[in-house]
Each structure stands twice: as C-alpha cells, then as structure tokens.
Amino acid sequence: NIPMEKREFNIVFQDYALFPNLNAYKNIVYGLRNKPLISSEEEVFEMIDLLDLKPHLNKRIDQLSGGQKQRVAIAGVLAMQPEILIFDESTSMLDPQGKAEINALIQEIHQESNITIISITHDIEEVATADHVIVMDRGHVVMDGKPDDILLHEQKLLDLQLDIPFALKFRNALKKQQVEISACTTIDKVVEELCQLRSNK
C-alpha cells in the first residue's frame, strides 16, 4: 500500500464513501486529521463556498440529498490537494438535475485548478465535455481520441452497447425533417448550427 502522505491522487466514488456518524463538515476535514498542513482552514472554507455547502455543514449525511452528499465527498478529496482526481461513476446515483450540477462542478474544478481529472463513466453527455476519451471493452482499449473522434461513430458506440449524445439524436431527428446540420456532439453546437442556418435564410 502507498502511504497516505505519498498519494498524488484521490477518488470520488459513486456511493459517496462518507461517514454517516459525522456531519458534513467533519466528513470534509476527516482526511486532514493526520495531515493538517495540507489545506489551511481558509482554503477548506474556500472549497466549501465553491461547492455551495456552507448551509449544510452541520447536517448529518442522511439529511443531505444525493447531490449534496457528492459535493461533500468532492470537498473532502479536494482538501487533500491531489494532483489527480478520479471520479468513479460519480453521477450514476443522481437524478438528471444532480448529474448536470456535478458535471458542471467537475468542469469548473478542471478549469480553475491544476488538477488532472479522470472520469470513469457511462454517461455520454459527460464524455462529450472531456478533453480526451478512452473507450474500453472487457479490459481492452477499443477507441481513443478527442470526443468528436469517438462520439460521431454512432454504430460503433451502439455495437458496444453505449448511448449516443443527445445532440446526435436531435440532429438525426432534424434530418428526417429535411433540416441538415453538421454532426455535433454537444447541444450548444446544435444551437450554433441552427442559428447559422437561420441567419443564412
């Protein structure tokens, strides 16, 4: 086992991995008990503000929603200041709104920190926002590249029993109505294409 003080990564699990007998704040700072100099109290509260957890710090874990529990888990691992942060199916137990909020939060962490984020997921909408994608099947890499390089291969994704992005489904529906736009992997790109079509009329 790698000693805790030498670990350069931390993991956010799908089932939160929180201590039910501790409140939200104590869960966040739990990992700092033996490493108090990693994050100062000020830095911890900056993370708490970033994750919008201040109103929930004294609540028991069973009093929190799924999205709030995941935010507590994220705050706890960020307090350890890892170089690499791994999200292991971290949104799989959340409702659509909770998924959207956590995915937006992951993007914000990625943009505002020097932390490398690795996300293990079956959520194609989450995959579409990644910088790089690796698709694995039974332990083997079967696709590797930028999101557009991967997600525009509709049949291959379906053969692997994966979904295709909503943007592609929407584009395919438009095509049936004789509205032609480029193949897109994000809904923002679809909107951009539709606005361009309208402005060209």
Side-chain angles (χ1 to χ4, degrees):
N1 291 337
I2 301 173
M4 180 67 76
E5 65 271 20
K6 292 185 179 179
R7 287 188 182 175
E8 298 176 346
F9 67 92
N10 238 317
I11 304 174
V12 178
F13 296 97
Q14 61 179 322
D15 60 355
Y16 319 122
L18 299 172
F19 297 100
N21 57 317
L22 302 179
N23 65 23
Y25 179 74
K26 289 181 179 178
N27 267 280
I28 292 169
V29 299
Y30 183 85
L32 298 176
R33 293 182 310 159
N34 298 319
K35 303 171 69 177
L37 298 180
I38 286 184
S39 290
S40 66
E41 185 175 12
E42 180 181 353
E43 288 172 323
V44 170
F45 273 94
E46 285 176 1
M47 284 182 283
I48 287 169
D49 286 336
L50 171 67
L51 297 166
D52 197 25
L53 286 171
K54 190 174 287 187
H56 311 293
L57 293 182
N58 292 319
K59 291 182 180 179
R60 299 191 315 269
I61 296 305
D62 63 3
Q63 294 176 307
L64 301 176
S65 69
Q68 289 163 352
K69 290 176 183 176
Q70 200 59 288
R71 287 170 183 266
V72 170
I74 292 170
V77 297
L78 286 178
M80 304 299 291
Q81 297 191 8
E83 294 180 11
I84 300 171
L85 184 52
I86 301 171
F87 289 87
D88 184 9
E89 299 283 5
S90 58
T91 63
S92 63
M93 298 179 69
L94 304 180
D95 60 26
Q97 180 179 346
K99 284 187 177 185
E101 290 175 354
I102 294 300
N103 285 335
L105 180 59
I106 292 171
Q107 287 297 310
E108 185 175 357
I109 292 168
H110 176 57
Q111 292 166 7
E112 295 187 4
S113 71
N114 292 320
I115 299 174
T116 297
I117 293 179
I118 299 173
S119 185
I120 302 166
T121 183
H122 287 82
D123 184 342
I124 291 298
E125 302 308 322
E126 183 179 340
V127 172
T129 65
D131 295 327
H132 193 89
V133 179
I134 297 173
V135 181
M136 300 191 70
D137 182 35
R138 301 174 186 176
H140 298 283
V141 174
V142 293
M143 302 175 79
D144 183 356
K146 299 293 184 183
D148 282 355
D149 298 332
I150 304 298
L151 300 181
L152 296 181
H153 292 282
E154 295 183 47
Q155 192 54 54
K156 192 164 185 177
L157 290 174
L158 295 173
D159 290 344
L160 291 167
Q161 299 184 328
L162 295 172
D163 200 1
I164 63 173
F166 175 76
L168 272 182
K169 295 177 183 177
F170 191 70
R171 181 250 191 177
N172 292 342
L174 288 174
K175 191 173 183 178
K176 291 179 181 178
Q177 302 298 319
Q178 284 74 53
V179 178
E180 291 284 348
I181 64 172
S182 303
C184 309
T185 57
T186 65
I187 200 65
D188 288 345
K189 183 64 176 174
V190 170
V191 172
E192 180 183 327
E193 291 260 344
L194 290 175
C195 289
Q196 186 65 38
L197 273 181
R198 180 165 181 163
S199 67
N200 290 338
K201 286 186 177 181

